[in-house]
Amino acid sequence: MSRHGQVRESSLLQRRLESLNTARELAEGVLPDPDLQSVYEVLERATSRRSLSADHTVVGFFGATGSGKSSLFNAVSDSSLATATARRPTTSAPLAGIWGEEGSGPLLDWLDVKERHTLPPVPGLAEENTGLVLLDLPDFDSTRLENREIVQRMVGMVDVLVWVLDPQKYADAAVHHDFLRPMASHGAVTLVVLNQIDKLNASDAAAVMQSLEGILAQDGLGKVRVLGASALTGDGVQSLRAVIRKVVVQREATTERLAADVAKAAAELAKASGEGEARGVKGGTKARLASELSTAANVPVVVDAVHRSFKRESAKRTGWPVTRWLLRFRPDPLRRLNLGRDDTRPELNRTSLPPAGAPERARTDAAVRDFADEASAGAPGPWRAAIRSAARDGREELPDALDQAIAGTDLLAGKRPLWWLLFNTLQWIALVLAAGGLGWLGVLAALGYFQMPVPEVPRTEGWPWPTLMVAGGVVLGIALAITGRILGGWAARARASRAAKRLKAAVAGVAEQRIVEPVEVEITRLKAFNAALKAARPG
């Protein structure tokens, strides 16, 4: 690959790593910690490997006991290092053969490979500065736990994996189930070598190779390169060298290995999450939530109190002055609920509404649950649980928040219609007229009682003016009171309707803040997670 192509692939890998990290961060608190930790470890390894030598390709030889892995390592590297290693006290330690020592130190330190040997050029494999690091690793089926741990660690760190199998144990479940199958996404950086083919005749070798390829296909490695070789006779060794050399010279293995790690981590994260998007919050579901909360928060009780309070106040302002004072003995429904005051900061008040009982709490819980269920429909299991949890968390604060919202709502209790002033003025004029007529009649009665001259009073159609004044004042007052009561009823319904809208808006605001917004945050987080995960996976 050209230098420009390498830069492009490196840039693409960086974006995928960033997307995977974004997905991991978004999934915190939703997906299980072990899954997130696994992704974090992949990101850490990728970051560490990319900070080390890009001019070196690490090729690891993995194999079971008796597979001839170390012998094949010696044959490929044209050395006897592995044979010498077998006589060392620390036979479980990995061994490195290096072509291009400069810059390899930090990389091998990261791999924790202590024993390192700089090797001379090998025709068909590497020159002095090719940038190849060949690792001979412990047997993966070793009875020593530390050996298996080294192999498992190296499987996750080397750039190219060479699995050395033998004709007797090539189908062993241990290698396929524990190593090859989990690494199915790493086919681009995996080689499989059937060693010891010198023990088979040509037809048997072909049959075993065909069987091995079939098993690898079942493992998800149907496109992996499979080679036959014999460390003893040298058959296939040069072909293996050529394949390794091509991988090293192309300088693509590190990027391909890390890209495969990202793909695998993203796939595992997707499996832990599940697929799907939440339906989301719709206008109808919000409206139903607000309606149910309004009922549970006793908004109808407050609206009825507004209606009755306005009718009472209207009667006080427009009723017949002779009888309106009796209304003082009827308590104001709004004041009984500790509402309708002219406080400058009503939001600090609390209502005297009855506390939420079991039916109200059940209604609130059901409304919140139904809302969360509808909004989370279609979301994967863990995310649906997170959405429901966000709704439940907000539910705990609802009763107090709703009470404060109702207490802080302006119910227009202090707003007095102009017609009240007109009716009140006319009522007092009528009362003064009637009182004036009574006074006039009283004066006439007093003059007659004391046998004093009684002046003639004006008449209209035979009716004395004082009598007309009394009758007119009383009739006008009663007529105004009846008309005011009718108008007051209409206006009370209009006032109650406006109050209901304000109260429902206040309840909807609480629902938006306590329930809807947290739910939308989780839904948005799921959407961003899915987008990040899609960007992290191969196109």
Side-chain angles (χ1 to χ4, degrees):
M1 182 182 292
S2 66
R3 176 64 63 177
H4 178 72
Q6 291 176 0
V7 171
R8 184 177 63 254
E9 290 299 317
S10 178
S11 177
L12 177 60
L13 174 61
Q14 179 63 30
R15 290 196 296 272
R16 291 179 61 192
L17 286 167
E18 291 173 354
S19 296
L20 181 62
N21 186 52
T22 298
R24 180 191 65 83
E25 291 176 344
L26 289 168
E28 287 183 353
V30 178
L31 301 185
D33 288 340
D35 293 307
L36 299 180
Q37 180 62 28
S38 176
V39 174
Y40 179 77
E41 290 171 358
V42 169
L43 293 168
E44 284 291 291
R45 286 199 302 269
T47 301
S48 298
R49 180 62 184 95
R50 298 185 80 207
S51 68
L52 299 169
S53 175
D55 294 327
H56 286 81
T57 301
V58 181
V59 179
F61 274 51
F62 300 86
T65 304
S67 64
K69 165 182 56 65
S70 295
S71 298
L72 186 61
F73 173 90
N74 286 338
V76 171
S77 63
D78 194 21
S79 69
S80 58
L81 292 178
T83 303
T85 301
R87 297 193 295 268
R88 297 195 318 270
T90 56
T91 56
S92 63
L95 166 72
I98 308 167
W99 288 267
E101 184 178 6
E102 185 178 356
S104 66
L107 176 58
L108 291 169
D109 290 341
W110 176 66
L111 292 168
D112 196 24
V113 176
K114 299 294 190 298
E115 185 164 357
R116 313 167 185 180
H117 299 271
T118 301
L119 298 178
V122 176
L125 177 67
E127 288 79 36
E128 289 184 356
N129 296 314
T130 297
L132 170 62
V133 176
L134 210 59
L135 296 182
D136 181 35
L137 300 166
D139 300 334
F140 61 72
D141 61 347
S142 172
T143 57
R144 298 181 62 181
L145 179 61
E146 57 268 29
N147 285 10
R148 190 174 180 87
E149 290 176 345
I150 290 173
V151 172
Q152 289 176 330
R153 179 172 61 84
M154 286 299 184
V155 165
M157 299 178 76
V158 300
D159 300 325
V160 179
L161 303 97
V162 178
W163 295 97
V164 181
L165 308 179
D166 65 89
Q168 287 74 36
K169 295 189 293 184
Y170 72 90
D172 186 13
V175 64
H176 290 278
H177 292 172
D178 296 347
F179 293 99
L180 289 172
R181 189 167 296 173
M183 300 296 288
S185 59
H186 293 65
V189 290
T190 299
L191 294 173
V192 176
V193 179
L194 181 64
N195 193 24
Q196 302 175 2
I197 58 171
D198 57 287
K199 295 181 179 181
L200 303 172
N201 57 42
S203 61
D204 289 342
V208 171
M209 288 284 286
Q210 184 177 4
S211 174
L212 175 57
E213 290 173 351
I215 296 173
L216 290 173
Q218 294 176 4
D219 292 335
L221 291 165
K223 296 182 179 180
V224 73
R225 184 79 176 270
V226 181
L227 301 174
S230 171
L232 181 63
T233 65
D235 289 344
V237 171
Q238 195 60 36
S239 297
L240 179 57
R241 286 175 179 171
V243 172
I244 294 175
R245 177 180 177 81
K246 181 179 179 182
V247 170
V248 174
V249 171
Q250 287 179 339
R251 307 293 189 199
E252 299 176 19
T254 300
T255 299
E256 288 181 342
R257 165 62 205 249
L258 296 180
D261 286 344
V262 172
K264 181 182 178 184
E268 291 175 350
L269 204 57
K271 182 179 179 181
S273 168
E275 297 182 355
E277 292 281 0
R279 178 185 298 170
V281 176
K282 307 298 182 182
T285 57
K286 286 204 295 185
R288 284 194 295 273
L289 174 65
S291 177
E292 290 296 316
L293 293 183
S294 295
T295 302
N298 290 313
V299 166
V301 174
V302 178
V303 172
D304 180 66
V306 171
H307 181 267
R308 291 186 291 113
S309 175
F310 186 90
K311 286 183 66 176
R312 173 184 176 276
E313 191 67 21
S314 180
K316 282 178 59 178
R317 300 291 178 178
T318 66
W320 196 24
V322 177
T323 59
R324 70 170 63 170
W325 60 275
L326 294 172
L327 294 173
R328 297 177 183 272
F329 298 101
R330 291 171 56 185
D332 184 347
L334 275 181
R335 293 300 177 91
R336 291 183 66 180
L337 298 178
N338 198 33
L339 295 169
R341 300 180 182 275
D342 295 329
D343 297 342
T344 56
R345 300 186 67 185
E347 69 276 4
L348 300 180
N349 293 336
R350 288 295 184 271
T351 72
S352 296
L353 288 165
E360 289 77 19
R361 288 196 298 271
R363 186 162 192 157
T364 298
D365 291 348
V368 173
R369 184 173 58 252
D370 291 345
F371 172 79
D373 287 346
E374 288 192 42
S376 64
W383 292 94
R384 190 162 191 173
I387 294 170
R388 290 170 172 171
S389 177
R392 285 196 302 270
D393 292 344
R395 180 190 63 192
E396 300 300 325
E397 304 170 349
L398 273 179
D400 186 65
L402 290 172
D403 188 80
Q404 186 174 351
I406 291 173
T409 300
D410 183 8
L411 301 176
L412 305 174
K415 187 176 181 181
R416 300 173 180 176
L418 291 177
W419 64 271
W420 281 5
L421 177 61
L422 174 62
F423 271 59
N424 189 49
T425 302
L426 293 176
Q427 282 284 23
W428 283 107
I429 291 174
L431 182 62
V432 169
L433 182 63
L438 284 173
W440 195 345
L441 290 174
V443 170
L444 294 176
L447 290 175
Y449 179 80
F450 289 107
Q451 302 295 312
M452 296 178 67
V454 179
E456 186 70 24
V457 296
R459 294 176 179 271
T460 299
E461 298 292 334
W463 292 90
W465 282 16
T467 302
L468 289 175
M469 289 172 64
V470 173
V474 171
V475 170
L476 179 60
I478 294 174
L480 286 171
I482 294 173
T483 304
R485 185 172 292 274
I486 295 172
L487 292 177
W490 292 342
R493 287 191 290 273
R495 177 65 61 86
S497 177
R498 290 197 295 271
K501 290 180 180 179
R502 287 171 175 257
L503 288 167
K504 289 178 180 178
V507 170
V510 172
E512 184 78 22
Q513 180 182 7
R514 305 287 180 174
I515 305 297
V516 177
E517 288 182 0
V519 165
E520 286 181 330
V521 166
E522 293 302 316
I523 291 173
T524 301
R525 182 152 72 122
L526 169 59
K527 190 172 183 179
F529 169 83
N530 284 335
L533 205 57
K534 182 179 180 181
R537 304 178 81 169

